[in-house]
Amino acid sequence: MAKSVLVDLTRCIGCRGCQIACKEWNERSVKKTEMYGNFTNPPELNSECFTHIRYIEQEKDGMPVWSFVKDQCLHCKNPACASVCPVEALKKTENGPVTYNFSRCIGCRYCLLACPFYIPKYEWEKTVPWVRKCTFCSDRIAADMTPACIKVCPSNTMFYGEYEDVLKEAENRITGNPGKYVKHIYGKDEAGGTSWLYISAMPFESLGFNMDIPAQKLPDLTWSYISKIPAVIGVVLTAGAISWVITRRNKNMDKEE
Ligand code: SF4
Ligand code: SF4
Ligand code: SF4
């Protein structure tokens, strides 16, 4: 059964416990940042930060309103990142997470371009770089544990369970609380559906969500486009293969040293 998460943005208090728990569980280091006039830190997801909270101040009925938006991979049901990967390094698993197999990746970075949510990041600064993104704590799910960010949240912002139950919970919260939420479950249809869903009191477009994502499964679109440019695929595969050989060689050299 596929696991899923509902992020109820009306509940988040912006404590960033999820951000810290994710870092700790996934053994991520810290990239130094500087003050830039916004509490969102780091300003964007990066290879060491799989989730962060965006701090957004708006006005509603003449009163200031703060929204705290948790970003991470949405674990699409039909992930565009996996569909363009020429070596199946990215894969949608039966229990929900879109996983990444380090040993398969050839470093072509197609996945970075394909993701409509701009999620995967590359370890540009490393000599042996990998693609990095939220894993949906697939190791914890496999061990029947709740993902770290959800487990630590003090305000129950995230509701975790089977997809059908999570979707029903989202619908019930919207219909059971007239006027509290906008009538939209973000991720129900976007990109053909995602495993992480959002509900909000504020319009999603005002919170920086991409509203131009079609409801159609993106791999269908991607492949109808890619099939028209086989020459490009050949070049990319060749470049990827060369990159893979170099990466392997470097890794072997590292091991030998
Ligand atoms: S959000 Fe992006 S990285 Fe995550 S599964 Fe979807 S396409 Fe892949
Ligand atoms: S599911 Fe796991 S990897 Fe993803 S944001 Fe939460 S703690 Fe991080
Ligand atoms: S731990 Fe929960 S309340 Fe705190 S920032 Fe994360 S989602 Fe929001």
Side-chain angles (χ1 to χ4, degrees), residues 146-204:
T146 306
C149 58
I150 301 171
K151 178 91 179 162
V152 81
C153 178
S155 62
N156 288 326
T157 294
M158 289 158 280
F159 179 85
Y160 170 71
E162 303 299 332
Y163 179 79
E164 295 307 327
D165 298 335
V166 168
L167 180 59
K168 197 174 286 174
E169 179 70 20
E171 289 166 348
N172 287 345
R173 285 191 197 181
I174 292 175
T175 52
N177 297 280
K180 180 173 179 183
Y181 298 96
V182 293
K183 289 182 181 158
H184 184 90
I185 301 170
Y186 192 90
K188 183 180 173 210
D189 298 316
E190 282 79 7
T194 60
S195 291
W196 282 61
L197 305 171
Y198 288 82
I199 53 174
S200 168
M202 304 299 280
F204 285 102

Side-chain angles (χ1 to χ4, degrees), residues 47 50 73 75 81 90 97-100 119-121 131-136:
S47 58
F50 298 167
C73 173
H75 297 274
C81 59
L90 287 151
V98 173
T99 57
Y100 172 68
I119 296 297
K121 304 295 176 207
V131 171
R132 296 285 188 176
K133 70 169 194 71
C134 155
T135 63
F136 202 164

Side-chain angles (χ1 to χ4, degrees), residues 55-196:
Y55 291 71
I56 301 166
E57 187 180 6
Q58 293 174 288
E59 210 179 277
K60 192 178 181 183
D61 304 327
M63 299 292 287
V65 181
W66 278 95
S67 298
F68 310 108
V69 180
K70 184 179 183 298
D71 288 332
Q72 75 295 299
C73 173
L74 278 82
H75 297 274
C76 306
K77 290 183 186 173
N78 301 280
C81 59
S83 78
V84 296
C85 179
V87 291
E88 292 184 21
L90 287 151
K91 190 174 143 199
K92 178 73 175 175
T93 57
E94 273 181 13
N95 52 1
V98 173
T99 57
Y100 172 68
N101 186 332
F102 294 78
S103 64
R104 278 181 171 262
C105 181
I106 57 174
C108 70
R109 302 182 295 277
Y110 248 32
C111 51
L112 272 70
L113 298 174
C115 174
F117 305 103
Y118 310 108
I119 296 297
K121 304 295 176 207
Y122 198 60
E123 295 176 321
W124 298 99
E125 67 284 1
K126 298 205 174 161
T127 36
V128 182
W130 302 115
V131 171
R132 296 285 188 176
K133 70 169 194 71
C134 155
T135 63
F136 202 164
C137 287
S138 55
D139 48 353
R140 289 178 67 96
I141 290 180
D144 211 17
M145 293 162 75
T146 306
C149 58
I150 301 171
K151 178 91 179 162
V152 81
C153 178
S155 62
N156 288 326
T157 294
M158 289 158 280
F159 179 85
Y160 170 71
E162 303 299 332
Y163 179 79
E164 295 307 327
D165 298 335
V166 168
L167 180 59
K168 197 174 286 174
E169 179 70 20
E171 289 166 348
N172 287 345
R173 285 191 197 181
I174 292 175
T175 52
N177 297 280
K180 180 173 179 183
Y181 298 96
V182 293
K183 289 182 181 158
H184 184 90
I185 301 170
Y186 192 90
K188 183 180 173 210
D189 298 316
E190 282 79 7
T194 60
S195 291
W196 282 61

Side-chain angles (χ1 to χ4, degrees), residues 12-18 53 153-155 157-158:
C12 180
I13 56 174
C15 71
R16 282 196 274 231
C18 51
I53 298 293
C153 178
S155 62
T157 294
M158 289 158 280

